[in-house]
Amino acid sequence: MDIFEKANSVRLRSHHDKYLTADDDEETVSQERNGTINNAKWTVEIVGHSNVIRLKSCFGKYLTASNLPFFLGMTGKKVLQTSPERLDSSVEWEPIREGVQVRFRTRYGQYLRANGGVPPWRNHITHDIPLRTSTQDWILWDVDVVQIRVPDPAPPPLQRQQQQQQQPPSDQSETAPDSEPGSPTSPKLTSQEEPDDSFRGSPVKNEGRVIHYRVAVHEDGNADENEELSFTFKGCMVEELKNKLEEETGLVGIQVCSRNPLNGKFYPLRLHLPPNNAEMHVVVVPSASGRG
């Protein structure tokens, strides 16, 4: 993470010695040998005070872990350029150092992956969990810093003195603990506020809700009553919960359902989860194809 705290823009070079590139259609991403083109440059945005970043292409769109499968029946999903109305977890990546290289993990445990091999996989970018030893290195990236992040300059001494004189003494005792009125480090307050401004419109961070789940043995509603498991979930969309449950269970193509208390039958959840982070009891109904 220390690399990205100092970088305003970067290039990412894959295990195949190709660069992560924003395609000219302003939607897809791929790998390209030429790292000097503007399409291979990604602007770094740090999310609040976390260890998470966003990467913005030369077209002003965010590198996004979508829910669209790259091929039907395969676990890998497309990575795209998008301009979402709300900056949710799909555009957030956690850099994880591994030696001199970096892995980029999504909120749900998949990794940014540069695919090799024969077409149509070659040069495409997905997010996935590599299951074979031969593809483990496909999620490793070299980071080349293109532009250093320049800190805000300190104000001239005369301006600092004027700022100090404008601060009423009585207000200093009532100032919040994280502010330092009248001090020479006032630009530091500005740099702390900027990430919050960039995060405006994104979901409010919270401690999440507790999800209790069972895996249905059959689609007619039979479930193992002795196998209820739980985890804390911070999302608000059913599709996000589905991705997390696939990660927890190892199943693919599942349906997330609730049990009708009157007749015991299942009915699928739609779009949004209930508000206020209330605890939920759900049933995971596997697809006919079973495990991926």
Side-chain angles (χ1 to χ4, degrees), residues 107-149:
R107 178 75 62 86
Y108 303 106
Q110 291 88 18
Y111 293 92
L112 183 67
R113 177 165 124 165
N115 294 296
V118 299
W121 287 101
R122 182 184 299 163
N123 292 337
H124 281 85
I125 306 295
T126 58
H127 62 101
D128 200 358
I129 301 176
L131 301 178
R132 294 181 299 171
T133 304
S134 59
T135 61
Q136 292 289 326
D137 291 340
W138 291 8
I139 63 172
L140 296 176
W141 298 83
D142 290 292
V143 180
D144 298 334
V145 177
V146 178
Q147 184 178 7
I148 298 293
R149 188 182 303 274

Side-chain angles (χ1 to χ4, degrees), residues 100-111:
V100 296
Q101 296 176 303
V102 177
R103 292 177 290 157
F104 295 90
R105 184 169 62 188
T106 69
R107 178 75 62 86
Y108 303 106
Q110 291 88 18
Y111 293 92

Side-chain angles (χ1 to χ4, degrees), residues 84-273:
E85 294 182 359
R86 296 173 62 88
L87 298 179
D88 58 15
S89 59
S90 66
V91 298
E92 296 178 355
W93 302 89
E94 179 186 5
I96 301 174
R97 288 287 294 266
E98 186 163 316
V100 296
Q101 296 176 303
V102 177
R103 292 177 290 157
F104 295 90
R105 184 169 62 188
T106 69
R107 178 75 62 86
Y108 303 106
Q110 291 88 18
Y111 293 92
L112 183 67
R113 177 165 124 165
N115 294 296
V118 299
W121 287 101
R122 182 184 299 163
N123 292 337
H124 281 85
I125 306 295
T126 58
H127 62 101
D128 200 358
I129 301 176
L131 301 178
R132 294 181 299 171
T133 304
S134 59
T135 61
Q136 292 289 326
D137 291 340
W138 291 8
I139 63 172
L140 296 176
W141 298 83
D142 290 292
V143 180
D144 298 334
V145 177
V146 178
Q147 184 178 7
I148 298 293
R149 188 182 303 274
V150 179
D152 294 334
L158 178 59
Q159 182 178 346
R160 291 203 303 265
Q161 183 178 0
Q162 292 174 346
Q163 290 175 348
Q164 292 174 350
Q165 293 173 349
Q166 291 172 358
Q167 290 290 338
S170 59
D171 291 343
Q172 294 181 0
S173 60
E174 298 176 0
T175 304
D178 58 347
S179 64
E180 299 177 13
S183 72
T185 56
S186 56
K188 182 179 180 181
L189 178 60
T190 303
S191 64
Q192 291 175 343
E193 290 174 351
E194 285 176 353
D196 294 335
D197 292 339
S198 67
F199 196 54
R200 186 174 300 162
S202 59
V204 176
K205 298 296 182 182
N206 53 62
E207 297 301 323
R209 73 177 82 222
V210 177
I211 301 292
H212 306 278
Y213 71 93
R214 295 189 176 93
V215 178
V217 178
H218 302 292
E219 294 188 3
D220 59 6
N222 296 324
D224 188 346
E225 298 295 331
N226 296 322
E227 292 295 330
E228 183 172 66
L229 301 174
S230 303
F231 61 88
T232 301
F233 178 68
K234 296 185 179 181
C236 61
M237 303 291 291
V238 173
E239 190 65 26
E240 293 179 314
L241 178 58
K242 175 184 173 183
N243 292 338
K244 179 64 175 176
L245 285 167
E246 287 182 342
E247 176 189 341
E248 292 285 332
T249 62
L251 300 170
V252 293
I254 65 172
Q255 192 171 44
V256 183
C257 300
S258 290
R259 187 190 298 276
N260 189 316
L262 299 179
N263 56 25
K265 292 184 177 181
F266 297 157
Y267 61 92
L269 299 180
R270 305 291 185 188
L271 296 179
H272 295 278
L273 302 181

Side-chain angles (χ1 to χ4, degrees), residues 3-152:
I3 299 176
F4 298 97
E5 290 175 345
K6 301 175 182 177
N8 186 62
S9 59
V10 296
R11 287 191 296 259
L12 303 181
R13 189 169 70 251
S14 72
H15 174 70
H16 311 292
D17 203 28
K18 299 178 181 180
Y19 291 88
L20 179 69
T21 304
D23 293 341
D24 289 333
D25 61 8
E26 300 187 20
E27 180 181 359
T28 57
V29 295
S30 60
Q31 301 173 72
E32 170 65 46
R33 290 284 184 190
N34 185 5
T36 62
I37 58 176
N38 198 40
N39 301 54
K41 185 172 71 173
W42 297 85
T43 301
V44 178
E45 291 183 2
I46 299 176
V47 180
H49 302 285
S50 66
N51 292 325
V52 174
I53 65 171
R54 304 188 192 102
L55 295 172
K56 184 181 289 186
S57 73
C58 61
F59 303 108
K61 297 189 175 184
Y62 290 94
L63 188 70
T64 304
S66 78
N67 289 319
L68 301 174
F70 184 70
F71 282 120
L72 191 63
M74 306 299 290
T75 57
K77 295 183 179 180
K78 293 181 179 179
V79 175
L80 303 171
Q81 307 173 63
T82 68
S83 298
E85 294 182 359
R86 296 173 62 88
L87 298 179
D88 58 15
S89 59
S90 66
V91 298
E92 296 178 355
W93 302 89
E94 179 186 5
I96 301 174
R97 288 287 294 266
E98 186 163 316
V100 296
Q101 296 176 303
V102 177
R103 292 177 290 157
F104 295 90
R105 184 169 62 188
T106 69
R107 178 75 62 86
Y108 303 106
Q110 291 88 18
Y111 293 92
L112 183 67
R113 177 165 124 165
N115 294 296
V118 299
W121 287 101
R122 182 184 299 163
N123 292 337
H124 281 85
I125 306 295
T126 58
H127 62 101
D128 200 358
I129 301 176
L131 301 178
R132 294 181 299 171
T133 304
S134 59
T135 61
Q136 292 289 326
D137 291 340
W138 291 8
I139 63 172
L140 296 176
W141 298 83
D142 290 292
V143 180
D144 298 334
V145 177
V146 178
Q147 184 178 7
I148 298 293
R149 188 182 303 274
V150 179
D152 294 334

